[in-house]
C-alpha cells in the first residue's frame, strides 16, 4: 500500500477546466498484484521474462511493482507489453533500464541499431497496444540508456541518430513508451530519461493523462521528444516537468485522424524545442488549451509548424498564462517549416488561435506566418508582452491586438528540480558527533521524551580499572561450597546476594571454568558484580543452549534443579517461563538481568544453541533456515545476555557469544530510557545480534559478524523516535567472516519494526489489503491495525571513529527491515525527515511538527574502511 503525497500545485479532486472532455483528476495508485525486487547491476541480464509474466498474470485494476531493496535497485529488460487495466509501477528508488541489446528490440529484419531509409526496425521498450486502463506510475525511473553504447557496437543510440542526420538516413532506435489505439492510459509521477528516441508517443489514443511526470534527457540528444499525442483525443498533460533534446511536447495529426481536446496544464519546460504543434497536421488539430506554462531555455517557445506537404486545419488553440525566458524564438508560427522544393496540396490553415497573458521576458525572434492571403494566420492577442529588442516578423497574418511591454514573470521561473541525492551512508558533522560522547549519551534516564539528567561516567568506576576487586562471594565448581560465601554455581551466589538484600554492591569472583547454567538477576536485587578470575575473558564461561522454540517442559527438564532453592525473586523469573508452550526470544537468555547497577567483567556469556559449526543453506532468508550439513537443525532466536529494564548495566572485557539475537537490551515496555555500557567487549552473532530499544554505548569493542546465511545484521535497534539516543558504537572494530560460498551480505543494522502485524510502507500484494491505526498490532487477512507506538519505534544507531572490516556492505550498510511486499517491510530511515516523508499524506502522518534540524536515527562519523 502506498499513498503518494499530493503535488503542491495539484488540483486534486477538482475538475481541470480545460479542453479535455474528461474529468481529469490526479490519478490514484492501484493496489499491487505482485512486488518484484531489483538487482544490483544494470547490465548483463534481461528481467523482461519475470516482469512480463507478472504483468500477464496481474488482474485488471492492479499494479506490478518494481521495488528497490537496499542496493538491489535496478531492473534491465527488453521490450515489455502492458495489458488491459494493468499498471507498471516503478517504486521510489528503483530504476527500470531498457536493455542496450538491439536484438531484443528488432522487428525481424536485423536492422535495429543501424541506419537505413525507413528507420522502423526497432520495437518500443514499453508498448500499450489496444489496451484500456493501463498505466505507468511510481516515484522511480525508467531509463532508456540512449547515451550508452549499443551492445556489440561502438556507438550509442544517440550517436547513430546524429550520424543518420549527417547521412540523410533514418536511425533504427527504440522509442521508450508507445501507445497505439489505446484508451484511458495514465502516466503518474514517473521519471523518464535518456530515451533513444521519443519518450512517449500516442497513436490514435482516446484518453491519456500524464500527471506529475518528469522527463530528463540531454539537450543534444536527437529526436528525443517528450510527449507526442498523434491523431489522439482527450489528452491531459499536467504538473509535469520536461527537459529533453527535441520537442518538449509535440501535438501531431496525420492520416489517421485529428488530435483534439488536449489540455496542457501547470507544466514547466526547460531545454528542448518547445511547446509544439506539428509538423504533421494534415489530420487537423482542434481544441487545445495550454495554461500555466513556463519555458526556460528552450530553443523555441510556443511553436506551430507545418508545410503544404503536411498541413491541415488548426483551430481552437488557446495559450494562457505562459512565461518564456532565454528562448531564441519565443513565438514561432510558420506554415513553411522545412518547405520542400515542390509545393504540395495540404495547405496549413491556422484559424482561431488565441494568446492570453503570455510573457516573453528576454528578446527573441517572433514569427507569425500564414500560408498566403487566402489562408492567413488568424491570431488574437490579449495582454501579450514581449521583451524590448525582439525581432518581429509577420507574413499573411491577421492579428487582433498588439504586443505589449515590459514583460514580467516574477517568481515563475524555478530551477530544474534535480532529484535529491539521499546518502545511504549519512555522515555526522563534527558538531553532531560531539553530542555522542559517551558521557553525554549516558547522561539521560527516565520517561522517553522527558528524560531527566543524571550523569553517569562508567569509565570512572573501579570496574574499569585493572586493579582487582574485593570479593564478597566466590564461585568455583571444583572447590567445596558452603552456601554462605563459597558456591559451586553462579546462580547460587546471585541468589544468596538477592536474599541478603540491601544496597551495597556485592562482588562475586568466579574461578576459571565453564558453568553450564542459567543466571537470573531479579529486579530489586542489590548491585551485583560478576568478576571473572581468569587471565582473560575466555577463562570463565557461562553457557546454556536455550532458543525461542524451547518448550516450557524442556526448559523444566534441563534447568528446574538450578532454581529449586533460589531466592524468591529469582524463582519468580523461572516460574514466568516454566509453563510456556515456547520460551520465545525473551525467555531464551543465558544471563537475564533485571536489576539496576549490574556489572560483569572478564568473562564469557554464551548461548551455545547451534554454535557447533552448523551452516545454513545459502538461499535461506528467514529466521528458520535448514541446515546444509544433513541434519534437521533450524535457526531460531537464542539470547546470550538479556538486560531487561535495568539501568546502569556495565560490562568490561566481556565476551558475548551467540548467533541470532545474542544481546537483547530492553527497556520497560518502551516507556523509559535505561542505560548500558560495554567497554573492551567482544560481541558476536549472525542476525540482529545486538537488538532492543534502550540507550547503550559500545566503546572500544570488537563486533564480529558470523556468515553462513544470505545476510548478517549486527544491530536491530527499535528505539522510540522521542528517545535521545539508541545504540552508539565508538572506537569499535567491526569484523566478519569472509562471505564464503554462501555470499553472506554483512550489514551494520536494520531498524527493528517491533511487533509489526501490518505495514504502512511499500506495497502488499493482497487483494483488499488495508492497514490502519488501532489499539493493537493485529492482522487478519486482508485487514490489519498497527499501534502508533509501534510506528514510533524507529531504531537509532550511530557508528563513530570505528574500523569497518572489508566484507561489510560499502554502498548500503544500513539495511531495510525485510523486503518490500511483505507485512514486515519498513525502509531504512536515517532521520526524522525520512520518518515524516514516508508517512506524510497517509493516515499514519505523525502528529505535531517535524524536528528542525532533523533528529539523527542512523549515522556515521570518521570511520575507517578496511
Amino acid at each position: 500500500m502506498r499513498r503518494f503525497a499530493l503535488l503542491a500545485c495539484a488540483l486534486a479532486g477538482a475538475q481541470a477546466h480545460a479542453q479535455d472532455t474528461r474529468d481529469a483528476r490526479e490519478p490514484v495508485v492501484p493496489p499491487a498484484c505482485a512486488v518484484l525486487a531489483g538487482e544490483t547491476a544494470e547490465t548483463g541480464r534481461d528481467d523482461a521474462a519475470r516482469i512480463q509474466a507478472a504483468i500477464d498474470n496481474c488482474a485488471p485494476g492492479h499494479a506490478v511493482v518494481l521495488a528497490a531493496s537496499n542496493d538491489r535497485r535496478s531492473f534491465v529488460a527488453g521490450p515489455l507489453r502492458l495489458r488491459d487495466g494493468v499498471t507498471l509501477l516503478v517504486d521510489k528508488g528503483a530504476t527500470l533500464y531498457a536493455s542496450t541489446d538491439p536484438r531484443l528490440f528488432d522487428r525481424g529484419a536485423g536492422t535495429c541499431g543501424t541506419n537505413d531509409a525507413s528507420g522502423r526496425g526497432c520495437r518500443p521498450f514499453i508498448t500499450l497496444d489496444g489496451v484500456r486502463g493501463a498505466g505507468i506510475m511510481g516515484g522511480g525511473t525508467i531509463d532508456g540508456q540512449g547515451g550508452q553504447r549499443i551492445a556489440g557496437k561502438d556507438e550509442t543510440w544517440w550517436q547513430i541518430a546524429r550520424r543518420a542526420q549527417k547521412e540523410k538516413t533514418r536511425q533504427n532506435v527504440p522509442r521508450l513508451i508507445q501507445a497505439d489505439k489505446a484508451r484511458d492510459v495514465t502516466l503518474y509521477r514517473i521519471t523518464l530519461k535518456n530515451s533513444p528516441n521519443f519518450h512517449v508517443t500516442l497513436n490514435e489514443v482516446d484518453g491519456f493523462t500524464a500527471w506529475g511526470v518528469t522527463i530528463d534527457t540531454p539537450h543534444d540528444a536527437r529526436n528525443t521528444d517528450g510527449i507526442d499525442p498523434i491523431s489522439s483525443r482527450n489528452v491531459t498533460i499536467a504538473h509535469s516537468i520536461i527537459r529533453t533534446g527535441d520537442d518538449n511536447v509535440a501535438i501531431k495529426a496525420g492520416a489517421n485522424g485529428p488530435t483534439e481536446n488536449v489540455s496542457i496544464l501547470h507544466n514547466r519546460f526547460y531545454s528542448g524545442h518547445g511547446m509544439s504543434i506539428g509538423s504533421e497536421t494534415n489530420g487537423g488539430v482542434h481544441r487545445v488549451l495550454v495554461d500555466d506554462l513556463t519555458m526556460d531555455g528552450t530553443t523555441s517557445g510556443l511553436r506551430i509548424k507545418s508545410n503544404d506537404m503536411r498541413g491541415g486545419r488548426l483551430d481552437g488553440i488557446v495559450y494562457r498564462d505562459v512565461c518564456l525566458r532565454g528562448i531564441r524564438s519565443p513565438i514561432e508560427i510558420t506554415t513553411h517549416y522545412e518547405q520542400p522544393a515542390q509545393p504540395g496540396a495540404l495547405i496549413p490553415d491556422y484559424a482561431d488561435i488565441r494568446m492570453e497573458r503570455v510573457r516573453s521576458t528576454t528578446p527573441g525572434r517572433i514569427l507569425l506566418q500564414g500560408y498566403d492571403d487566402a489562408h492567413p494566420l488568424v491570431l488574437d492577442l490579449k495582454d501579450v508582452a514581449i521583451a524590448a529588442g525582439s525581432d518581429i516578423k509577420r507574413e499573411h497574418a491577421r492579428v487582433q491586438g498588439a504586443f505589449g511591454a515590459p514583460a514580467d514573470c516574477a517568481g515563475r521561473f524555478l530551477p530544474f528540480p534535480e532529484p535529491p541525492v539521499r546518502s545511504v551512508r549519512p555522515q555526522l558533522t563534527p558538531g553532531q558527533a560531539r553530542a555522542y560522547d559517551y558521557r553525554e549519551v549516558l547522561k539521560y534516564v527516565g520517561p522517553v521524551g522527558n528524560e531527566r539528567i543524571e550523569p553517569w561516567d562508567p569509565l570512572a568506576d573501579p570496574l574499569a580499572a585493572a586493579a582487582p576487586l574485593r570479593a564478597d562471594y566466590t564461585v568455583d565448581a571444583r572447590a567445596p561450597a558452603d552456601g554462605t560465601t563459597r558456591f559451586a554455581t553462579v546462580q547460587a551466589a546471585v541468589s544468596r546476594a538477592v536474599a541478603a538484600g540491601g544496597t551495597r554492591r556485592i562482588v562475586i569472583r568466579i574461578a576459571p571454568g565453564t558453568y553450564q547454567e542459567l543466571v537470573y538477576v531479579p529486579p530489586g536485587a542489590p548491585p551485583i558484580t560478576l568478576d571473572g578470575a581468569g587471565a582473560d575473558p575466555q577463562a570463565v564461561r557461562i553457557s546454556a543452549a536455550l532458543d525461542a522454540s524451547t518448550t516450557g517442559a524442556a526448559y523444566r527438564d534441563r534447568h528446574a534443579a538450578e532454581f529449586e532453592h533460589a531466592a524468591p525473586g529469582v524463582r519468580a523469573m523461572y516460574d514466568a517461563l516454566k509453563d510456556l508452550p515456547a520460551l520465545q526470544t525473551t525467555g531464551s537468555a543465558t544471563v537475564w538481568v533485571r536489576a539496576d547497577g549490574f556489572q560483569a567483567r572478564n568473562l564469557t556469556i554464551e548461548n551455545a544453541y547451534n554454535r557447533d559449526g552448523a551452516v545454513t543453506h545459502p538461499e535461506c532468508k528467514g529466521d528458520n533456515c535448514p541446515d546444509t550439513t544433513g541434519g534437521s537443525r533450524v535457526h531460531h532466536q537464542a539470547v546470550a545476555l538479556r538486560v531487561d529494564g535495568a539501568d546502569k548495566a556495565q560490562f568490561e572485557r566481556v565476551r558475548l557469544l551467540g548467533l541470532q539475537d545474542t544481546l537483547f537490551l530492553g527497556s520497560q515496555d518502551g516507556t523509559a530510557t535505561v542505560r548500558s555500557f560495554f567497554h573492551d567487549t567482544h560481541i558476536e552473532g549472525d542476525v540482529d545480534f545486538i537488538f532492543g530499544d534502550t540507550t547503550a554505548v559500545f566503546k572500544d569493542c570488537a563486533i564480529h559478524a558470523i556468515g553462513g546465511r544470505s545476510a548478517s545484521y549486527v544491530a536491530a535497534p527499535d528505539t522510540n523516535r522521542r528517545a535521545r539516543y539508541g545504540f552508539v558504537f565508538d572506537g569499535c572494530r567491526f569484523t566478519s567472516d569472509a562471505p564464503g560460498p554462501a555470499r553472506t551480505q554483512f550489514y551494520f543494522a536494520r531498524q527493528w519494526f517491533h511487533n509489526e502485524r501490518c505495514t504502512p510502507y511499500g506495497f502488499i500484494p493482497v487483494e483488499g489489503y488495508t492497514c490502519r491505526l488501532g489499539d493493537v498490532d493485529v492482522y487478519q487477512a486482508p485487514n490489519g491495525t498497527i499501534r502508533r507506538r509501534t510506528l514510533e519505534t524507529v531504531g537509532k544507531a550511530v557508528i563513530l571513529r570505528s574500523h569497518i572490516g572489508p566484507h561489510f556492505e560499502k554502498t548500503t550498510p544500513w539495511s531495510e527491515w525485510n523486503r518490500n511486499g511483505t507485512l514486515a517491510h519498513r525502509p531504512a530511515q536515517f532521520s526524522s525527515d525520512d520518518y515524516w516523508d514516508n508517512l506524510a499524506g497517509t493516515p499514519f502522518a505523525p502528529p505535531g511538527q517535524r524536528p528542525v534540524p532533523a533528529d539523527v536515527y542512523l549515522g556515521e562519523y570518521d570511520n575507517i574502511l578496511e
Side-chain angles (χ1 to χ4, degrees):
M1 180 182 68
R2 172 67 59 87
R3 298 287 189 269
F4 287 106
L6 296 180
L7 301 175
C9 55
L11 299 177
Q15 182 174 3
H17 300 289
Q19 302 296 83
D20 190 337
T21 63
R22 302 172 303 151
D23 183 5
R25 299 168 182 259
E26 182 172 8
V28 175
V29 176
C33 60
V35 179
L36 307 183
E39 298 293 343
T40 56
E42 288 129 21
T43 58
R45 70 176 195 279
D46 183 6
D47 296 318
R50 67 178 179 125
I51 297 173
Q52 191 64 57
I55 293 171
D56 293 344
N57 291 310
C58 189
H62 293 73
V64 172
V65 178
L66 308 186
S69 175
N70 295 325
D71 58 345
R72 298 161 66 90
R73 296 176 171 269
S74 71
F75 299 80
V76 182
L80 300 168
R81 297 176 66 89
L82 291 188
R83 305 298 184 190
D84 279 349
V86 175
T87 292
L88 179 64
L89 194 151
V90 185
D91 198 15
K92 182 179 179 181
T95 300
L96 171 61
Y97 293 92
S99 173
T100 58
D101 187 347
R103 296 169 298 180
L104 299 177
F105 298 92
D106 195 79
R107 293 186 183 274
T111 59
C112 188
T114 68
N115 294 339
D116 60 18
S118 71
R120 299 178 180 175
C122 299
R123 292 184 290 159
F125 180 38
I126 301 176
T127 299
L128 300 90
D129 189 0
V131 299
R132 181 168 188 170
I136 299 172
M137 298 185 181
T141 299
I142 299 177
D143 190 331
Q145 301 206 90
Q148 299 299 312
R149 183 176 296 178
I150 303 168
K153 299 183 180 294
D154 294 328
E155 294 177 296
T156 69
W157 297 112
W158 294 337
Q159 285 172 333
I160 70 168
R162 283 296 174 198
R163 183 162 56 81
Q165 185 181 32
K166 296 176 183 177
E167 297 170 349
K168 307 300 182 185
T169 57
R170 294 182 180 273
Q171 69 270 23
N172 290 285
V173 298
R175 294 174 175 177
L176 197 66
I177 299 170
Q178 182 164 312
D180 297 316
K181 298 182 179 179
R183 297 188 66 183
D184 301 325
V185 172
T186 301
L187 303 185
Y188 181 44
R189 293 194 55 154
I190 192 72
T191 294
L192 310 176
K193 62 189 300 183
N194 301 328
S195 177
N197 195 251
F198 300 161
H199 286 80
V200 182
T201 304
L202 314 175
N203 295 305
E204 299 181 73
V205 170
D206 187 351
F208 170 81
T209 300
W211 194 294
V213 173
T214 298
I215 296 177
D216 186 13
T217 290
H219 69 91
D220 57 352
R222 182 172 182 250
N223 294 146
T224 53
D225 290 21
I227 302 177
D228 288 3
I230 305 169
S231 298
S232 297
R233 64 191 304 270
N234 293 321
V235 172
T236 291
I237 301 169
H239 305 289
S240 295
I241 296 168
I242 303 174
R243 68 177 178 186
T244 187
D246 211 303
D247 294 321
N248 301 74
V249 169
I251 299 171
K252 306 176 184 182
N256 292 322
T259 293
E260 55 191 2
N261 304 331
V262 178
S263 302
I264 315 293
L265 311 173
H266 317 300
N267 299 293
R268 306 207 306 269
F269 296 170
Y270 296 85
S271 64
H273 294 178
M275 176 61 240
S276 299
I277 299 177
S279 59
E280 297 84 7
T281 59
N282 54 295
V285 177
H286 314 296
R287 296 177 296 282
V288 175
L289 172 64
V290 177
D291 190 11
D292 185 22
L293 172 65
T294 59
M295 285 190 279
D296 193 1
T298 56
T299 56
S300 295
L302 303 179
R303 187 186 197 196
I304 302 176
K305 52 182 178 175
S306 191
N307 60 38
D308 56 22
M309 301 292 290
R310 311 175 184 180
R313 183 172 176 82
L314 278 69
D315 55 34
I317 314 298
V318 178
Y319 302 96
R320 179 187 300 148
D321 290 319
V322 177
C323 285
L324 308 121
R325 181 174 74 172
I327 298 173
R328 185 173 59 203
S329 299
I331 300 174
E332 182 181 1
I333 302 176
T334 177
T335 55
H336 296 282
Y337 175 74
E338 296 181 349
Q339 181 65 52
Q342 297 298 321
L346 301 176
I347 297 174
D349 183 10
Y350 298 169
D352 188 19
I353 300 172
R354 288 183 291 147
M355 294 184 181
E356 303 174 7
R357 298 185 298 280
V358 174
R359 305 280 190 268
S360 177
T361 65
T362 53
R365 178 172 174 262
I366 309 296
L367 176 60
L368 308 176
Q369 182 190 59
Y371 187 76
D372 55 25
D373 287 340
H375 304 87
L377 163 65
V378 180
L379 175 64
D380 183 11
L381 303 178
K382 183 178 180 181
D383 193 14
V384 177
I386 59 175
S390 295
D391 178 20
I392 303 174
K393 180 178 179 181
R394 301 187 188 188
E395 184 177 324
H396 307 300
R398 293 211 306 257
V399 179
Q400 176 98 21
F403 293 112
D408 182 19
C409 281
R412 289 285 296 272
F413 296 108
L414 302 174
F416 186 90
E418 301 291 349
V421 178
R422 181 174 182 261
S423 172
V424 293
R425 299 196 68 162
Q427 302 296 311
L428 304 182
T429 66
Q432 289 174 317
R434 283 193 291 273
Y436 288 89
D437 178 86
Y438 78 95
R439 286 158 294 202
E440 180 67 21
V441 174
L442 297 174
K443 188 166 67 176
Y444 301 95
V445 68
V448 168
N450 193 29
E451 294 95 340
R452 66 184 180 274
I453 294 177
E454 188 178 293
W456 177 38
D457 184 356
L459 289 183
D461 190 282
L463 189 75
L469 304 176
R470 187 183 68 81
D472 296 289
Y473 306 149
T474 60
V475 176
D476 189 342
R478 295 168 296 185
D482 62 12
T484 303
T485 60
R486 300 191 307 274
F487 303 90
T489 68
V490 180
Q491 184 64 81
V494 169
S495 285
R496 176 65 177 175
V498 171
T503 59
R504 184 180 68 85
R505 177 167 296 281
I506 303 296
V507 176
I508 301 173
R509 177 78 38 75
I510 307 173
T514 297
Y515 297 83
Q516 301 281 356
E517 60 172 304
L518 303 175
V519 177
Y520 293 171
V521 184
I528 292 172
T529 299
L530 302 183
D531 190 21
D536 58 52
Q538 300 183 71
V540 174
R541 180 182 298 245
I542 303 170
S543 180
L546 299 176
D547 71 277
S549 68
T550 303
T551 65
Y555 172 71
R556 293 194 304 271
D557 288 343
R558 296 185 210 173
H559 298 288
E562 300 172 31
F563 298 98
E564 185 174 356
H565 303 293
V570 174
R571 177 74 191 200
M573 295 172 70
Y574 166 78
D575 287 343
L577 303 177
K578 67 182 179 63
D579 296 318
L580 294 176
L583 298 184
Q584 303 187 28
T585 306
T586 52
S588 65
T590 299
V591 174
W592 181 10
V593 176
R594 299 188 63 195
D596 293 347
F598 177 84
Q599 295 177 337
R601 183 175 73 172
N602 199 41
L603 53 80
T604 295
I605 300 172
E606 176 188 48
N607 191 314
Y609 172 75
N610 263 7
R611 283 184 54 85
D612 56 357
V615 179
T616 56
H617 193 273
E619 269 120 31
C620 174
K621 296 183 186 298
D623 290 340
N624 301 328
C625 304
D627 179 18
T628 58
T629 61
S632 59
R633 283 197 179 133
V634 295
H635 272 297
H636 291 127
Q637 299 89 339
V639 176
L641 170 64
R642 181 184 179 192
V643 180
D644 179 13
D647 188 38
K648 292 186 177 180
Q650 183 174 355
F651 301 84
E652 293 280 344
R653 297 192 303 281
V654 170
R655 297 173 76 240
L656 303 176
L657 308 180
L659 291 175
Q660 184 169 336
D661 293 4
T662 303
L663 173 59
F664 184 7
L665 300 169
S667 67
Q668 297 173 1
D669 198 26
T671 61
T673 294
V674 291
R675 301 162 290 181
S676 296
F677 181 74
F678 298 83
H679 181 229
D680 193 17
T681 287
H682 176 97
I683 308 169
E684 71 176 52
D686 63 359
V687 171
D688 305 336
F689 61 91
I690 302 173
F691 72 109
D693 62 359
T694 70
T695 296
V697 172
F698 302 85
K699 188 164 181 58
D700 304 327
C701 292
I703 312 297
H704 183 69
I706 298 173
R709 302 212 224 178
S710 62
S712 175
Y713 311 94
V714 168
D718 67 332
T719 330
N720 187 282
R721 70 177 179 87
R722 293 184 175 85
R724 288 175 177 267
Y725 298 101
F727 296 162
V728 177
F729 298 87
D730 189 354
C732 296
R733 181 174 293 276
F734 287 75
T735 60
S736 69
D737 295 343
R743 301 306 303 169
T744 300
Q745 291 180 282
F746 293 98
Y747 297 96
F748 292 156
R750 55 178 183 167
Q751 292 156 307
W752 186 13
F753 197 11
H754 187 54
N755 290 334
E756 82 295 328
R757 295 296 181 271
C758 67
T759 181
Y761 303 100
F763 298 85
I764 301 298
V766 173
E767 185 67 30
Y769 172 78
T770 65
C771 185
R772 58 183 177 82
L773 283 175
D775 297 328
V776 293
D777 296 312
V778 66
Y779 178 72
Q780 184 173 358
N783 305 309
T785 61
I786 187 170
R787 294 178 302 161
R788 174 69 69 181
R789 205 172 97 200
T790 301
L791 281 174
E792 292 185 342
T793 56
V794 296
K796 298 184 179 184
V798 298
I799 301 174
L800 307 93
R801 296 174 285 271
S802 296
H803 288 254
I804 310 301
H807 302 304
F808 280 87
E809 289 297 304
K810 299 295 189 296
T811 55
T812 54
W814 303 100
S815 174
E816 66 184 15
W817 182 265
N818 292 357
R819 65 177 180 83
N820 199 337
T822 65
L823 291 172
H825 170 68
R826 183 172 63 187
Q829 302 184 105
F830 298 113
S831 71
S832 54
D833 280 347
D834 289 337
Y835 181 77
W836 252 259
D837 291 344
N838 287 336
L839 297 177
T842 76
F844 310 95
Q849 299 295 315
R850 70 169 68 200
V852 178
D855 292 336
V856 173
Y857 292 173
L858 304 175
E860 300 180 63
Y861 178 75
D862 200 24
N863 293 323
I864 297 173
L865 306 184
E866 297 179 340

